[in-house]
Amino acid sequence: ILRQYLVRTRREVARLHFPARLVYLRRVQQSPQDCEILQIVRDEVSAQRLAAANILRHLGMAMMSSPQALLQRLESHGAGGAGASQAVSRLRELIQQCPVPSKMQAVMQIVEELRQQRPQDWRMVIFTSRIPTLEMIVNHLKQQGISTGVIRGHDPRSNQAAIRSYSATPPE
């Protein structure tokens, strides 16, 4: 059974020409909400509600992506009874209290740096594998008046439009 698969197309084949890729490590200071989210996960793990190794791996990946992705993962897991529902409720409260996670705040710092360096034509590409994280990022950027484009599977027309907007000078 094939759970996930990846089809890679080289940039040259797709005729995509991205600028040189620069990778930087940014350390992000955890907020009190981040610490509480980590504690929620610890409590769920220690209560052995999520003992299966595969579930733990997916839970950890979701937590590292965003609180929104973690919430979706806990909701879709659907196990653990009342304790798990308390964790889901508390996580919802934390997301309401702090809808912009620490990592998104760090992304906005990078956005501001790029805007200062190239005010007329700055661009940024963000990769994520979690739809709730993608939605949170797109929504926050749009709230800040920043145009976005999303490239994802099963939507070739929208993908092409996003690539055209990204490639335009200045970007649309």
Side-chain angles (χ1 to χ4, degrees), residues 37-120:
I37 289 168
L38 184 57
Q39 189 59 50
I40 288 170
V41 172
R42 284 184 184 136
D43 292 346
E44 287 297 299
V45 170
S46 68
Q48 297 182 8
R49 290 186 194 96
L50 305 170
N54 196 37
I55 294 170
L56 290 174
R57 182 175 61 85
H58 286 289
L59 188 66
M61 289 169 54
M63 179 183 69
M64 295 307 294
S65 183
S66 70
Q68 292 80 355
L70 176 61
L71 178 61
Q72 180 203 40
R73 189 69 193 159
L74 285 173
E75 289 173 336
S76 69
H77 179 61
S85 65
Q86 288 176 348
V88 167
S89 296
R90 183 62 189 137
L91 188 53
R92 277 193 195 111
E93 290 173 16
L94 289 169
I95 291 171
Q96 292 270 330
Q97 292 170 9
C98 184
V100 183
S102 300
K103 284 196 259 180
M104 187 66 219
Q105 293 173 19
V107 167
M108 290 309 298
Q109 290 173 351
I110 296 168
V111 165
E112 289 308 316
E113 290 171 16
L114 291 171
R115 280 180 164 170
Q116 289 174 6
Q117 292 171 7
R118 297 179 68 165
Q120 300 302 314

Side-chain angles (χ1 to χ4, degrees), residues 21-38:
R21 185 171 108 168
L22 304 174
V23 179
Y24 299 99
L25 175 63
R26 293 268 180 143
R27 301 234 183 253
V28 177
Q29 183 68 38
Q30 285 186 324
S31 70
Q33 289 84 3
D34 293 329
C35 294
E36 191 166 347
I37 289 168
L38 184 57

Side-chain angles (χ1 to χ4, degrees), residues 134-155:
L134 172 69
E135 291 169 348
M136 180 269 302
I137 291 168
V138 167
N139 290 337
H140 186 71
L141 291 172
K142 285 183 177 181
Q143 288 172 359
Q144 304 304 311
I146 299 170
S147 63
T148 63
V150 175
I151 299 174
R152 61 177 137 194
H154 310 301
D155 195 357

